[in-house]
């Protein structure tokens, strides 16, 4: 079922999204070599609760943590752990915030310490593909327009777009209809309507788009061991165009 949000509900989700964005902004300085993804988990959980909100991923479908911290070839749903991060690791920090019942969801990628030209290219393409998808999130367009814009650009850069994990509607729970793939045909799929709130969250790999699952039943990683990157925003479909609810101001 797709729920259309009222202006009041979208404003509440924007407040939630602003808090989430501030967590990501704070992580820019926090993430460095020698810390662990468990340090990130504790930092994020405390930041969210100190600002009167709830880490909404905790307990969702049995998940135990405030964050997903996926490292290098891990595509998504990596468990926070006490393995020390090293120079050149690419990590994805994904989280959901519940602020007085209003939800937001955003993942951001960070290079630990020094980057490389390959990582810079992967991150640049992934981030640009996110905003190309957002540009298509217009009243009257179709879901396929979003996926087509992302897929066409990413594959033109000789990178792979993950198929198995996609964007989604959000509110009143974390995962709602509609499904929002990051691949597809222009002009196909559900028509977008004012009041929809969705996530667009392309996951882009240096090699194949195919994934495999770890034994924990949660963590997905690239099938060929390539590096994976992800950027995600929550956005509202409005008559004036897409409104990014998790904007970091400069991003």
């Amino acid at each position: 079922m797709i729920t259309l949000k009222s202006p009041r509900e979208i404003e509440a989700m924007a407040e939630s999204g602003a808090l989430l964005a501030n967590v990501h902004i704070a992580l820019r300085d926090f993430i460095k070599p020698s810390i662990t993804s468990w340090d990130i988990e504790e930092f994020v959980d405390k930041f969210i609760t100190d600002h009167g909100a709830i880490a909404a991923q905790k307990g969702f479908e049995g998940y135990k943590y405030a964050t997903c911290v996926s490292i290098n070839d891990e595509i998504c749903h990596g468990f926070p752990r006490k393995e020390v991060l090293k120079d050149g690791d690419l990590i994805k920090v994904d989280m959901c915030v519940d602020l007085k019942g209003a939800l937001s969801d955003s993942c951001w990628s960070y290079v630990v310490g020094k980057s490389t030209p390959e990582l810079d290219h992967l991150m640049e393409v992934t981030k640009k593909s996110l905003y190309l998808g957002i540009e298509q999130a217009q009243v009257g367009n179709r879901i396929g327009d979003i996926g087509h814009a992302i897929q066409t650009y990413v594959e033109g850069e000789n990178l792979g777009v993950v198929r198995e994990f996609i964007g989604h509607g959000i509110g009143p729970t974390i995962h709602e209809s509609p499904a929002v793939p990051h691949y597809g045909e222009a002009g196909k799929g559900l028509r977008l309507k004012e009041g929809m709130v969705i996530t667009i969250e392309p996951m882009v790999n240096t090699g194949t788009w195919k994934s495999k699952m770890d034994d924990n039943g949660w963590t997905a990683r690239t099938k060929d061991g390539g590096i994976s990157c992800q950027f995600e925003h929550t956005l509202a479909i409005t008559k004036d165009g897409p409104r990014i609810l998790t904007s970091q101001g400069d991003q």
Side-chain angles (χ1 to χ4, degrees):
M1 178 178 174
I2 298 172
T3 61
L4 300 180
K5 284 32 174 216
S6 67
R8 178 186 59 80
E9 289 171 317
I10 291 173
E11 288 303 324
M13 295 179 81
E15 289 184 26
S16 174
L19 171 56
L20 197 164
N22 283 334
V23 182
H24 279 306
I25 291 169
L27 285 174
R28 297 178 192 178
D29 293 326
F30 183 80
I31 293 172
K32 60 179 77 69
S34 80
I35 72 166
T36 69
S37 56
W38 187 254
D39 293 327
I40 295 171
E41 163 73 10
E42 292 186 322
F43 177 86
V44 169
D45 199 12
K46 185 175 188 301
F47 193 108
I48 292 171
T49 55
D50 282 354
H51 288 80
I54 297 168
Q57 285 182 167
K58 273 190 177 181
F60 179 70
E61 296 184 350
Y63 192 74
K64 298 179 181 179
Y65 310 104
T67 62
C68 298
V69 185
S70 306
I71 305 170
N72 293 328
D73 68 325
E74 295 173 340
I75 296 170
C76 59
H77 305 154
F79 289 2
R81 52 198 184 270
K82 296 186 177 179
E83 171 188 336
V84 174
L85 298 173
K86 61 185 186 299
D87 207 51
D89 280 340
L90 178 62
I91 64 170
K92 290 75 68 176
V93 183
D94 191 3
M95 69 191 83
C96 297
V97 166
D98 179 340
L99 180 62
K100 301 175 184 176
L103 294 173
S104 57
D105 184 2
S106 177
C107 179
W108 219 248
S109 290
Y110 306 84
V111 176
V112 180
K114 294 181 180 178
S115 188
T116 66
E118 180 186 41
L119 291 179
D120 288 343
H121 179 247
L122 176 62
M123 293 180 72
E124 179 184 347
V125 170
T126 307
K127 186 184 290 184
K128 183 174 178 180
S129 77
L130 166 64
Y131 290 106
L132 289 173
I134 290 172
E135 286 176 4
Q136 295 300 315
Q138 307 281 347
V139 173
N141 277 5
R142 295 187 180 271
I143 291 287
D145 297 324
I146 296 172
H148 179 76
I150 293 170
Q151 182 183 13
T152 301
Y153 171 64
V154 170
E155 292 181 350
E157 294 289 332
N158 297 313
L159 298 171
V161 181
V162 172
R163 308 287 201 276
E164 297 93 335
F165 301 93
I166 60 179
H168 52 86
I170 182 169
T173 62
I174 292 176
H175 282 180
E176 300 276 332
S177 295
V180 186
H182 306 110
Y183 59 93
E185 294 183 53
K188 301 290 186 180
L190 184 78
R191 195 174 296 280
L192 299 171
K193 295 182 179 181
E194 183 180 359
M196 287 182 178
V197 178
I198 62 173
T199 71
I200 299 177
E201 47 185 294
M203 288 154 256
V204 176
N205 303 338
T206 56
T208 180
W209 57 265
K210 295 180 180 179
S211 69
K212 59 184 179 181
M213 292 296 295
D214 281 359
D215 291 340
N216 63 25
W218 279 95
T219 306
R221 64 179 70 236
T222 60
K223 196 167 186 178
D224 61 1
I227 304 300
S228 187
C229 183
Q230 182 186 10
F231 289 98
E232 172 190 14
H233 275 311
T234 297
L235 58 135
I237 310 297
T238 81
K239 61 181 176 59
D240 298 317
R243 177 183 176 185
I244 299 173
L245 305 181
T246 50
S247 172
Q248 295 177 33
D250 58 337
Q251 300 190 66

